[in-house]
Amino acid sequence: MGLGVTLAVCLVGMTGHLVEVEAHLAASVPGFTLVGLPDTSLAESRDRVRAAVASTGLVLPQRKVTVNLSPASLPKSGSGYDLAIAVAMLAGAGLVRHEGLARTVHLGELGLDGRVHPVRGVLPAVAAAAAAGVTRVVVPAANAAEAGLVPGMEVYGAHRLAEVVARYGADVVVPPDVGVRPGGLVTAQVRTDLGDLSDVVGQASARAALEVAAAGGHHLLMVGPPGTGKTMLAQRLPGLLPALTESEAIEVTSVHSVAGTFDASRGLLDRPPFEDPHHTATPAAVVGGGSGTPRPGAASRAHRGILFMDEAPEFSPRVLQTLRQPLEHGELVIQRAAGSARYPARFQLVLAANPCPCGLSIGKGLECSCTPMARRRYFARLSGPLLDRVDLQVEVHPVTRLDAMDETVREGTDVVARRVLQAREAARERLRPAGWTTNSEVPGTWLRDKIGNGRVLLRDLDAALDRGTLSLRGADRVLRVAWTLADLAGRLSPEPDDIGRALMLRTRGHGL
């Protein structure tokens, strides 16, 4: 009879829990029992582990094997426990030394030939292990660079199970590395091919709204006919945003690691991500989900960056309505029968929409062939509660020949990004005592207190409230935009003109 113990990590959302993997071998009828609330892919580890151990050249004794994943009440999923189960079993069988196993985390999926395949979520898993006081971790070689991003951890990357057990004293032959199968993981990074702002011809007012959105972290809706540059403008917004801080980069990288879209060879993701799901995307694809423990969707992968929804009225109403929670709270809580998961989702939402099915109902709309009911029904797909959470709502008009000839509005991304950075630094310094970083995060009560007794500043805002043009939430968001306009202009607080311009940007110039 023998007992082997080592460690693994269970990820629930972005939260890692240390799991003690115990393997007990008893002199009884041979068998393999896995307990501790495993899902299907984890329960199948018994076959992968047995085959991998045999391929390594070791022979397990004919014993009753019971593997417990503690805490047993925590649901566990995925194939990342294979390596820990194999090492614990071999320790219980007396084929490897026990020294150090109980304080070492083992992560990785085993192939039938003994290779160690990469798994998702290594960065947050290793970070959780470090927070629990563990200093040694064994991971697949393909994940070693990712695990090495966590400071203070001793990381060993293994290509094969034989390499791991040889370190613990097993008498095995370590074959030469013949490469590691990708394991179905996607290796995609933050997009850097989104172009320069100077590529956009004309559209001075839309460019100005884009700058305001970048400076304050505000959500943006652009409405206009096809071919006016809405998509081009949205794609150039990430270039205007400042680089991520170290803590933000770790946060963003952890999300992409769990999603399986992180290439560790390029280091931490230090640029704001850009996600642009197709309008046929399901709610699970946008906000996260799936069977078992939910995985992050496009909204979480856009954390600290941009979630762009082109042709927004074409998206399913269910998809659009699920965005209301992250727009308010900056995180997604996904409930499933197997448990719930929390993922960060503090993104900037950028919506692009045609004004009607034919797309020509802009300005006087003389060329529009849609009926009034068709126009109303089309744009009504963007519900009032969703639009009420969008700070900037602008119309994008067709570019004329004179606009195309005007070079004064052809500033490049670098020029505008410098102004955005100065405005962000001013806001960060002002908001530092309260713990906020951008104007989009600040509640309206705090903004009003900063204005003090200057009610004359709020005269236009109060009038819009009285007419019903704005809700109280909308008024708060107008104040946020006004502070951003003041930051861009280098002023210490908003002026009446800032309030008026913020109202124009909020209501597309209507109802004032």
Side-chain angles (χ1 to χ4, degrees), residues 119-124 126 142-150 253 257-258 262 264:
V119 293
R120 301 172 186 263
V122 166
L123 178 60
V126 175
N143 292 130
E146 182 179 345
L149 296 173
V150 179
T253 304
S257 174
V258 173
F262 172 53

Side-chain angles (χ1 to χ4, degrees), residues 346-366:
R346 191 168 295 281
F347 54 83
Q348 280 183 254
L349 178 64
V350 179
L351 303 172
N354 293 328
C356 63
C358 77
L360 301 179
S361 177
I362 201 77
K364 294 183 179 181
L366 298 179

Side-chain angles (χ1 to χ4, degrees), residues 58-271:
L58 297 173
V59 179
L60 286 170
Q62 293 297 310
R63 295 288 187 267
K64 169 65 175 178
V65 180
T66 303
V67 176
N68 179 45
L69 307 177
S70 177
S73 60
L74 180 67
K76 303 167 188 74
S77 63
S79 57
Y81 298 85
D82 289 3
L83 184 59
I85 292 173
V87 170
M89 285 175 55
L90 293 171
L95 298 175
V96 301
R97 296 191 303 267
H98 290 256
E99 290 80 10
L101 289 185
R103 296 303 302 164
T104 303
V105 166
H106 294 81
L107 302 171
E109 175 188 329
L110 292 178
L112 301 185
D113 58 355
R115 288 184 295 176
V116 184
H117 299 316
V119 293
R120 301 172 186 263
V122 166
L123 178 60
V126 175
V134 178
T135 58
R136 291 191 302 275
V137 60
V138 180
V139 299
N143 292 130
E146 182 179 345
L149 296 173
V150 179
M153 290 296 288
E154 180 185 338
V155 178
Y156 176 71
H159 293 92
R160 292 178 173 273
L161 177 61
E163 298 175 42
V164 178
V165 298
R167 286 174 57 89
Y168 297 132
D171 184 16
V172 295
V173 176
V174 180
D177 174 39
V178 293
V180 180
R181 177 177 60 86
L185 298 182
V186 181
T187 53
Q189 288 289 97
V190 170
R191 292 175 58 182
T192 57
D193 58 341
L194 300 175
D196 193 272
L197 192 59
S198 61
D199 300 333
V200 180
V201 176
Q203 302 299 0
S205 60
R207 291 166 61 100
L210 202 71
E211 182 175 343
V212 174
H218 303 292
H219 307 305
L220 172 65
L221 165 66
M222 293 181 287
V223 180
T228 53
K230 303 186 294 295
T231 301
M232 286 185 68
L233 286 162
Q235 289 177 341
R236 279 137 185 85
L237 181 54
L240 305 182
L241 302 179
L244 302 175
T245 64
E246 183 177 357
S247 61
E248 291 172 344
I250 292 174
E251 214 178 5
V252 171
T253 304
S254 296
V255 174
H256 284 254
S257 174
V258 173
T261 58
F262 172 53
D263 182 0
S265 64
R266 303 185 187 181
L268 289 174
L269 303 179
D270 60 356
R271 291 297 308 167

Side-chain angles (χ1 to χ4, degrees), residues 245-335:
T245 64
E246 183 177 357
S247 61
E248 291 172 344
I250 292 174
E251 214 178 5
V252 171
T253 304
S254 296
V255 174
H256 284 254
S257 174
V258 173
T261 58
F262 172 53
D263 182 0
S265 64
R266 303 185 187 181
L268 289 174
L269 303 179
D270 60 356
R271 291 297 308 167
F274 180 84
E275 292 287 333
D276 53 347
H278 192 262
H279 64 261
T280 58
T282 63
V286 174
V287 302
S291 60
T293 303
R295 287 181 177 170
S300 290
R301 297 196 302 272
H303 180 58
R304 303 292 180 187
I306 308 299
L307 177 64
F308 174 49
M309 306 184 80
D310 201 3
E311 305 295 344
E314 300 293 342
F315 278 82
S316 162
R318 289 182 59 211
V319 171
L320 296 172
Q321 295 311 310
T322 53
L323 295 176
R324 288 159 59 177
Q325 181 196 42
L327 288 179
E328 285 293 329
H329 305 295
E331 71 170 1
L332 278 161
V333 182
I334 306 172
Q335 303 284 350

Side-chain angles (χ1 to χ4, degrees), residues 438-487:
T438 61
N439 291 321
S440 63
E441 304 171 45
V442 184
T445 51
W446 193 90
L447 295 173
R448 289 188 180 84
D449 290 342
K450 274 292 183 181
I451 291 177
N453 295 323
R455 295 300 302 180
V456 65
L457 281 175
L458 306 179
R459 181 178 55 202
D460 291 341
L461 195 59
D462 292 339
L465 276 170
D466 291 340
R467 288 194 302 270
T469 306
L470 288 178
S471 66
L472 192 56
R473 179 196 286 126
D476 288 347
R477 292 181 179 273
V478 168
L479 275 179
R480 294 174 182 177
V481 175
W483 276 97
T484 299
L485 291 170
D487 290 334

Side-chain angles (χ1 to χ4, degrees), residues 12-51:
V12 180
M14 298 299 299
T15 305
H17 303 272
L18 214 58
V19 173
E20 191 174 61
V21 181
E22 305 169 307
H24 179 266
L25 279 74
S28 181
V29 178
F32 193 127
T33 303
L34 180 62
V35 296
L37 293 184
D39 72 347
T40 302
S41 62
L42 177 51
E44 292 171 346
S45 66
R46 62 169 72 86
D47 301 313
R48 292 192 298 270
V49 168
R50 281 192 181 278

